[in-house]
């Protein structure tokens, strides 16, 4: 914060000493501590706004960014008229912020955060559709917007074609954060939300490339700047596009490799992602490469979402998400407050450029708002045949919501600020660009951000399936049956509650029903009720009750697989493949919904822990003499995949059926259990095939899994000692780190050195069935051993208390635990 404040101080003092444009130099000075005070004042403002919005009904709740933007305009007016008092110097510092400092500080986190949140399985399927709209759609939108703006707005302001194209490229950068969060709250399909979010992420990169190309022509209108020729344009495009993608790719590879070498160290893993996001942006944009930092960071975010996220330790992932969510919230708050202050400072309160006070300006603002939506609709219409061929399909109702969700936000404002602070750009053009981009952002937030819910519900996109309705009604009925019996049981068991009553008896039903059904606001529900049925979406998807039961089972299967991953019972590759098999079963067509186990297994068989090229290479007989040792390692890796995936797959399904067995109909449970019994025999046969292929590699992989299970059990014992107070928190943290490091090293290629050396055992005994235990069975074993230990806990606690000097230290449990033989018959003075 101190460094940021000093940078603000340097840039603002430079501008204040000379004056920027027609803004006169300000004589008032401020210290570097003033921006820090203003920064925390902005954060408090954001906290208050967030708190108040949570208390308001959904019908009148406005987007958070819109409220913050309006408050920023108020702060700008407050500061310009000297009403801010002690805050006035800090507010002036943010009003005079340098464009590149604004871009380097606030934009990287907003671009990197989606990389942690996007579903990689859905992203791979939706990436072609998002890329089509992000590249082809943006080019079409820029051309159409320029053609429609130039005869009206351009002629009134005297814009050239390059000025118009530059403005259109800024206006094409979307920021649908508010819409995506709203779609999630309404229970929208993940693939539709990801289509909007992924297109916006790529859209920012392509729009920024077009902006910098057209911006170079705008700068060339100044006599001191040479006009770019064809060679300059090709060089600029290669640097802005190809070089930026290459830098983002390099950072993604380095970040993934670095995270794969770190395990269960939150400060290192979170610090690596923070450094990668900002350094990728700065190296691309701020060094001699002169690339597009936005495009490079977008590339980093997408590649990290596809490959790098699985390298984050499972216990670090929640902290990682919380850290980046907080950083994103802070960046959004500061971006929109600062943008509001800039609009007031340069377009409202500035006496020489009072564009906002002219009715013509607002008329042009609404015209640009209309043109931007027309161009987006035309771009979607041209891409509609290809979007309909996507794996998830597309229709008119989704296309309408997709076109309406193109909000403008932080990226457009940042590019407009770059235009304003460039001295080679004409003075009037700078004020007109920042004013109209700010009006466009304001209108999209105020109109699109508040009406998307109404449109989504009115078009029938928020309707849930009949099967889901039946499941929710069953849950509500069971909760209504439980509620009075819970009250009765509490009053009978605890006399203190006998003369009391529970308030708001209907609260449980109302909240459960509205939450499980993802009910929209009352106003959106009323709008949906008056919408003609012909306008609503005709859903041809499977909405049967069996489909709803299958979705419940698959959702629980993914939770159980995640639990295994967080307990380090399976590796990140196996976790990804098991999760993707469940996602594939949710979307599979042409199968009966209750054949979910068979569908998952078919997808799992087609997957592999290693690449197909590697497997094909080691299987070539004429290369066998070269890759013999390496093929043994490959067989061990494949055997490890079978040993981990098969029991985890079966355990996850058995636990899911056990969790919802009383809820599902008996025929559904019997159908799934029959599939599991049949597949268990297939997997046992697959075990035998893998063992016969290379017994030595199979035993090596089985011992690695056994060692991992042993370390997990031992870790639970260490945590048990901490709960009993025998070791301190710092000692527990050190021991956990040591154990987790050993678990992480099990999959290291160094541990396959014994195979590479060709060490063979004289006798090999194949592992017996049933399958290896899961995390709950390991936990049950640990608790059983802890219970046996606690039977003699009083003697054990007495034994570890301080013993007078010279007495014999002979705890009775040491005979049962030969791992501590050195403690027996040892004087206390020699106790290590």
């Amino acid at each position: 914060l101190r460094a940021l404040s000093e940078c603000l101080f340097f840039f603002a003092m430079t501008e204040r000493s000379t004056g920027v444009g027609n803004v006169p130099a300000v004589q008032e000075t401020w210290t570097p501590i003033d921006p820090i005070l203003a920064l925390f004042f902005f954060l408090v403002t954001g906290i208050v706004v967030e708190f108040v919005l949570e208390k308001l009904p959904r019908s009148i709740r406005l987007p958070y960014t819109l409220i913050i933007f309006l408050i920023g305009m108020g702060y700008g007016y407050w500061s310009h008229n000297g009403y801010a008092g002690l805050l006035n110097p800090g507010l002036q510092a943010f009003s005079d912020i340098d464009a590149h400092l604004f871009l380097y500080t606030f934009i990287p986190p907003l671009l990197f955060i989606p990389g942690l949140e996007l579903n990689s399985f859905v992203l791979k399927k939706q990436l072609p559709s998002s890329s089509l709209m992000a590249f082809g759609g943006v080019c079409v939108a820029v051309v159409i917007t320029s053609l429609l703006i130039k005869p009206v707005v351009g002629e009134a302001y005297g814009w050239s074609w390059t000025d118009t194209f530059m403005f259109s490229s800024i206006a094409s950068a979307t920021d649908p954060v508010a819409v995506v969060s709203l779609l999630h709250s309404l229970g929208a399909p993940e693939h539709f939300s990801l289509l909007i979010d992924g297109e916006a992420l790529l859209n920012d990169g392509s729009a920024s490339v077009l902006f910098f190309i057209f911006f170079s022509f705008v700068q060339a209108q100044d006599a001191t700047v040479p006009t770019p020729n064809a060679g300059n344009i090709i060089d600029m495009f290669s640097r802005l596009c190809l070089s930026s993608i290459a830098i983002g790719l390099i950072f993604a590879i380095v970040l993934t490799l670095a995270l794969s070498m770190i395990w269960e160290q939150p400060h290192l893993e979170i610090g690596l992602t923070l450094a990668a996001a900002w350094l990728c942006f700065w190296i691309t944009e701020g060094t001699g490469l002169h690339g597009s930092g936005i495009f490079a960071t977008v590339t980093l975010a997408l590649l990290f979402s596809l490959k790098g996220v699985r390298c984050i330790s499972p216990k670090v992932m929640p902290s990682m998400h919380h850290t980046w969510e907080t950083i994103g919230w802070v960046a959004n708050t500061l971006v929109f407050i600062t943008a509001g202050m800039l609009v007031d400072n340069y377009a409202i309160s500035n006496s020489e450029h009072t564009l906002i006070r002219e009715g013509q300006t607002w008329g042009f603002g609404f015209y640009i708002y209309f043109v931007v939506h027309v161009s987006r609709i035309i771009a979607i219409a041209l891409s509609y045949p290809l979007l309909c061929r996507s794996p998830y399909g597309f229709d008119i109702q989704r296309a309408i919501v997709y076109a309406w969700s193109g909000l403008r936000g932080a990226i457009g404002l940042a590019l407009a600020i770059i235009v304003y602070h460039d001295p080679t750009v004409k003075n009037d053009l700078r004020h007109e660009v920042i004013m109209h981009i700010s009006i466009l952002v304001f209108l999209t937030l105020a109109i699109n951000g508040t009406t998307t819910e109404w449109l989504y519900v009115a078009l029938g996109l928020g309707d849930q399936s009949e099967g889901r309705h039946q499941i929710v009604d069953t849950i509500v009925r069971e909760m209504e049956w439980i509620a009075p019996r819970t009250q009765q049981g509490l009053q009978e068991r605890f006399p203190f509650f006998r003369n009391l009553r529970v308030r708001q008896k209907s609260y449980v039903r109302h909240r459960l029903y509205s939450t499980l059904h993802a009910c929209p606001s009352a106003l959106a529900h009323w709008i949906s009720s008056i919408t003609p049925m012909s306008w609503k979406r005709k859903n041809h998807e499977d909405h049967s009750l069996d489909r709803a039961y299958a979705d419940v089972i698959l959702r629980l299967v993914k939770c159980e697989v995640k639990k295994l991953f967080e307990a380090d019972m399976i590796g990140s590759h196996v976790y990804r493949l098991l999760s993707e098999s469940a996602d594939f079963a949710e979307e599979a067509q042409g199968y009966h919904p209750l054949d979910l186990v068979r569908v998952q297994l078919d997808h799992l068989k087609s997957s592999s822990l290693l690449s197909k090229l590697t497997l094909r290479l080691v299987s070539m007989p004429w290369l066998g003499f070269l890759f013999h040792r390496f093929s043994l390692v490959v067989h061990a890796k494949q055997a490890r995949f079978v040993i981990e995936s098969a029991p985890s797959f079966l355990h996850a399904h058995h636990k899911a059926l056990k969790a919802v067995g009383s809820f599902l109909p008996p025929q559904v449970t019997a159908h799934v259990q029959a599939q599991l019994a049949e597949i268990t025999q297939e997997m046992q046969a697959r075990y035998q095939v893998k063992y016969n292929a290379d017994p030595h590699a199979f035993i090596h992989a089985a011992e690695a899994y056994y060692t991992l299970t042993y370390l997990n059990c031992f870790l639970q014992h260490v945590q048990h000692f901490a709960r009993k107070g025998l070791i301190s928190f710092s000692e527990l943290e050190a021991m956990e780190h040591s154990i987790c490091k050993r678990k992480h090293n099990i999959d290291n290629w160094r541990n396959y050195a014994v195979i590479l050396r060709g060490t063979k055992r004289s006798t090999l005994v194949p592992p017996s069935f049933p399958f290896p235990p899961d995390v709950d069975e390991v936990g049950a074993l640990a608790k059983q051993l802890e219970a046996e230990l606690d039977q003699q806990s009083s003697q054990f606690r007495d034994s570890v208390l301080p013993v007078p000097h010279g007495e014999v230290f002979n705890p009775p449990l040491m005979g049962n635990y030969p791992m501590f033989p050195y403690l027996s018959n040892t004087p206390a003075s020699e106790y290590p």
Side-chain angles (χ1 to χ4, degrees), residues 726-763:
L726 299 177
I727 58 177
S728 65
F729 176 77
S730 59
E731 293 170 334
L732 171 66
E733 195 174 30
M735 295 180 73
E736 283 182 337
H737 176 68
S738 177
I739 295 173
C740 290
K741 186 176 180 181
R742 281 156 178 77
K743 289 195 298 183
H744 182 57
N745 287 337
I746 290 176
D747 282 330
N748 224 318
W749 283 93
R750 293 193 303 269
N751 293 300
Y752 292 90
V754 61
I755 298 180
L756 293 173
R757 289 196 301 267
T759 306
K760 299 288 185 179
R761 295 188 181 185
S762 56
T763 58

Side-chain angles (χ1 to χ4, degrees), residues 1 18 56 77 213 245 273 326 366 390 579 595 619 729 791 796 820:
L1 289 176
T18 59
L56 294 177
Y77 179 81
I213 292 176
I245 293 176
T273 56
T326 304
F366 278 101
S390 67
S579 299
D595 290 338
S619 62
F729 176 77
Q791 290 178 359
F796 182 75
F820 301 128

Side-chain angles (χ1 to χ4, degrees), residues 46-58 61-62 64 511:
I47 292 170
V48 173
V49 171
E50 191 87 32
F51 178 78
V52 173
L53 288 177
E54 288 294 328
K55 301 298 180 182
L56 294 177
R58 288 181 58 184
R61 192 181 301 170
L62 298 176
Y64 170 77
R511 284 298 181 187

Side-chain angles (χ1 to χ4, degrees), residues 70 238 259 533 540 632 662 703 718:
L70 294 175
S238 63
L259 288 174
M533 291 299 297
H540 302 289
L632 295 177
S662 60
E703 287 184 346
V718 172

